[in-house]
């Protein structure tokens, strides 16, 4: 296992110590496992909390800050955060206007966020929840009833965060989060597996000349294992899968070409070139492109493509100022 | 070879097409191999040109934009750009105030930039050159007489770019670039090799339980091959090597913990936690931390630490607004 770590049990706490040291704009409690905006709670502002297993960085801790999340609660690697942890994050960001939980659709996450929401409501904090389930690859999977939540989580957190920053009420922030999720789809491809530090073994095996289409962000099985293909064909297979589920023609799109953690940026740009050409050939317009590793799977090699059919209002909210460790513009 | 590419010969041109499609703020010519700010040349502004082999993205193309480079000329993977290409970039950004070449210290790069500078001077463009040689690991190496240029290139390009944006003259911009280089040091560690697409074989071999201390950014041999160590010890070895060469005690530091391309962000933050603690224990203060993959080696796993001993003026220039694909703040 070639990893830049100290001990498998210390991975998440050590990384949180690094996040804290590098970003004074965050209040990080490595032992409680929460990452909070230093200026939270903000009176009258809806608080946004997300979280899930670690190993997907910069998601979610790297998206805490002005115009995006108010707090993140990272679990152990590929393991749901516990209800107490989610409750601590919720309490820390409650400014009296309620808190939105943004939850990726994995059974453990959904259950633990639900339990935390009930505990928060016992403390008179109003909580709304939005479940992200953008991955078209499979209907149910190893950790999921229904579709998995993956790359579109970036879109939901950015756009809902912008609306909350403007002072919108909880119902409106929850509604825009759901709208973004409904208008978004993703599809991922793995060129290699990854290894959870505590397990010490790869999450799955791939032959030298094999790739997995429709991979999940924890190495869950995808749709099919095929022979290695050129980047253009990998991108075509991904966008065809998305387009079959939600037609892209005529769309004004936000497109993320997302490196999975072990794929270098030069290859992500090759994939974006292919995506841009395919979309143009199929009558869609990319109005907001994003290329980079935003929702990763440890050191997995591969790429995920996520798209959102924008509206003028969603574009406006995407463009609104944001200032977080991993996403920053316009302020 | 698990790569998201079409054909080895198309890697750089395909990636440049992706860069062009994703960033309308750039004027990219994939065939000529140049990446230029869309608003270049700017009359009266010193132009900044850098370049080198591809495979280190976002360096250099991702650093073209307001407050940083005016143009980049990427060669083939791990291969110097040719003089005509460097000349084209130089001509494209000349606004009458001269052009600064920022050159990483590799024999081919130095020779080809020198030849391009002579050709540009034949066209009455004044050119100054700064060679970056921050890597303390080895004195001479496979591709270098003297020290290699690595992570501190980010510092030189950002700080010189800020001064040029303010309207400083060529001599002053070249002087600050040299000052940053002189005050900066780097040391890298590889946990895995990488594979140049055209070669199809790893640049070197590492045993399952081995790492290479002092690695170059093309997989050139480092100082020594040792048994795998915890992240804290890898960071300690790196910072000790730097501190032996340039004492860090009492310094106000800009510190980059740089992922080499295949190392996920969670591990980069673990390394930053270790670096932050080591520096604090040794009497140095990190005033500007940077964590992320900025100067990479394809999919190599590993980390490089770069430090610059700041002055108040260098800190001011580091903080100045920048707007490029890979670095963006404050405007």
């Amino acid at each position: 296992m070639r990893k830049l770590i100290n001990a498998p049990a210390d991975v998440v706490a050590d990384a949180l110590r690094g996040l804290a040291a590098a970003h004074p704009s965050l209040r990080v409690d490595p032992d409680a496992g929460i990452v909070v905006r230093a200026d939270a709670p903000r009176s009258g502002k809806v608080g946004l909390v997300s979280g899930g297993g670690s190993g997907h960085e910069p998601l979610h801790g790297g998206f805490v800050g002005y115009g995006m999340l108010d707090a993140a609660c990272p679990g152990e690697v590929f393991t749901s955060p516990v209800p107490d942890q989610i409750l601590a994050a919720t309490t820390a960001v409650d400014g009296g206007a309620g808190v939105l939980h943004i939850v990726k659709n994995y059974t453990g996450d959904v259950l633990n966020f639900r339990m935390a929401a009930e505990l928060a409501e016992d403390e008179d904090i109003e909580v709304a929840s939005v479940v992200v389930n953008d991955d078209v690859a499979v209907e149910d999977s190893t950790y999921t009833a229904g579709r998995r939540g993956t790359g579109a989580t970036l879109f939901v957190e950015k756009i809902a965060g912008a609306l909350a920053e403007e002072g919108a009420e909880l119902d409106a922030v929850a509604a825009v989060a759901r709208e973004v999720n409904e208008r978004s789809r993703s599809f991922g491809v793995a060129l290699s597996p990854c290894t959870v530090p505590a397990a010490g073994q790869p999450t799955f095996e791939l032959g030298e000349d094999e790739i997995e289409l429709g991979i999940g962000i924890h190495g869950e099985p995808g749709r099919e294992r095929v022979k290695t293909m050129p980047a253009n064909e990998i991108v075509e297979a991904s966008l065809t899968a998305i387009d079959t589920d939600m037609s892209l023609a005529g769309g004004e799109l936000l497109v993320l070409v997302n490196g999975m953690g072990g794929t270098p940026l030069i290859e992500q740009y090759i994939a974006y070139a292919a995506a841009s050409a395919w979309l143009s050939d199929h009558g869609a317009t990319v109005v907001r492109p994003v290329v980079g590793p935003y929702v990763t799977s440890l050191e997995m090699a591969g790429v995920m493509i996520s798209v959102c059919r924008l509206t003028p209002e969603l574009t406006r909210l995407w463009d609104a100022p944001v200032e977080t460790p991993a996403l920053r513009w316009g302020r």
Side-chain angles (χ1 to χ4, degrees), chain A:
Chain A
M1 187 169 62
R2 301 178 175 285
K3 287 187 183 285
L4 188 68
I5 65 174
N6 290 303
D10 298 334
V11 163
V12 175
D14 281 355
L16 288 178
R17 265 187 281 278
L19 192 73
H23 303 289
S25 63
L26 304 178
R27 206 166 67 228
V28 181
D29 185 334
D31 300 314
I34 61 173
V35 179
V36 183
R37 271 173 71 164
D39 62 354
R42 299 191 51 205
S43 177
K45 178 186 174 299
V46 170
L48 264 66
V49 173
S50 192
S54 291
H56 307 301
E57 291 67 24
L59 185 85
H60 300 271
F63 299 145
V64 174
Y66 180 89
M68 213 161 166
L69 297 179
D70 294 273
C73 34
E76 288 300 312
V77 174
F78 292 180
T79 301
S80 301
V82 297
D84 278 356
Q85 191 180 355
I86 304 168
L87 177 64
T90 304
T91 308
V93 305
D94 173 45
V99 175
L100 179 67
H101 286 174
I102 299 174
V103 188
K104 300 196 300 303
N105 190 33
Y106 298 98
T107 305
D109 290 23
V110 170
L111 284 174
N112 288 358
F113 268 94
R114 188 178 303 155
M115 206 173 300
E118 287 167 11
L119 295 168
E121 279 164 6
D122 289 347
E123 300 184 12
D124 289 328
I125 300 172
E126 191 184 359
V127 176
S129 294
V130 172
V131 174
V132 180
N133 61 349
D134 53 309
D135 185 350
V136 304
V138 292
E139 270 308 317
D140 301 302
S141 79
T142 318
Y143 307 115
T144 325
R147 291 183 169 185
R148 301 175 296 216
T150 58
T153 314
L154 172 72
F155 305 159
V156 173
E157 294 180 358
K158 168 66 185 79
I159 289 174
L163 193 64
E165 203 67 62
E166 292 178 357
E169 296 190 352
L170 180 58
D171 283 356
V173 177
V176 84
R178 286 191 195 101
E179 183 187 5
V180 172
N181 179 57
E182 282 159 13
R183 301 178 73 92
S184 296
R185 300 290 188 278
S186 296
F187 191 89
V189 177
L191 276 65
S192 84
C194 58
T195 297
V196 176
Q201 297 295 327
T203 48
F204 60 100
E205 301 282 347
L206 272 181
E208 248 319 299
D209 59 347
E210 285 181 328
I211 61 176
E212 175 115 3
L213 300 180
I215 196 76
I217 58 174
H218 311 90
E220 311 95 308
R223 280 193 182 179
E224 55 175 335
R225 192 160 293 190
V226 299
K227 294 278 172 201
T228 307
M229 305 189 292
N232 288 351
E233 293 176 24
I234 289 175
V235 168
E236 181 181 7
S238 303
L239 285 170
T240 301
I242 290 172
D243 186 53
T244 301
D245 195 79
M246 177 183 78
S247 172
L248 298 173
E252 309 242 303
L253 305 180
L254 167 59
V255 174
L256 168 66
V257 167
N258 178 68
M260 298 304 289
T263 284
L265 193 59
I266 191 169
E267 297 181 20
Q268 297 170 48
Y269 274 108
I270 290 172
Y272 184 73
S276 170
W278 191 95
L279 289 165
S280 171
D281 286 348
H282 289 75
T285 308
V286 184
V287 294
R288 294 294 180 275
V290 186
V291 182
Y294 290 98
V295 181
T296 61
S297 294
L298 297 169
E299 73 284 2
M300 182 188 286
V303 69
M304 168 171 288
I305 302 182
S306 299
V307 302
C308 175
R309 284 189 74 121
L310 291 167
T311 65
E313 173 67 358
L314 296 183
T315 306
R316 185 186 73 77
L317 292 167
W318 176 261
D319 289 345
V322 62
E323 194 164 333
T324 71
L327 214 64
R328 182 146 108 159
W329 62 68
R331 196 188 181 186

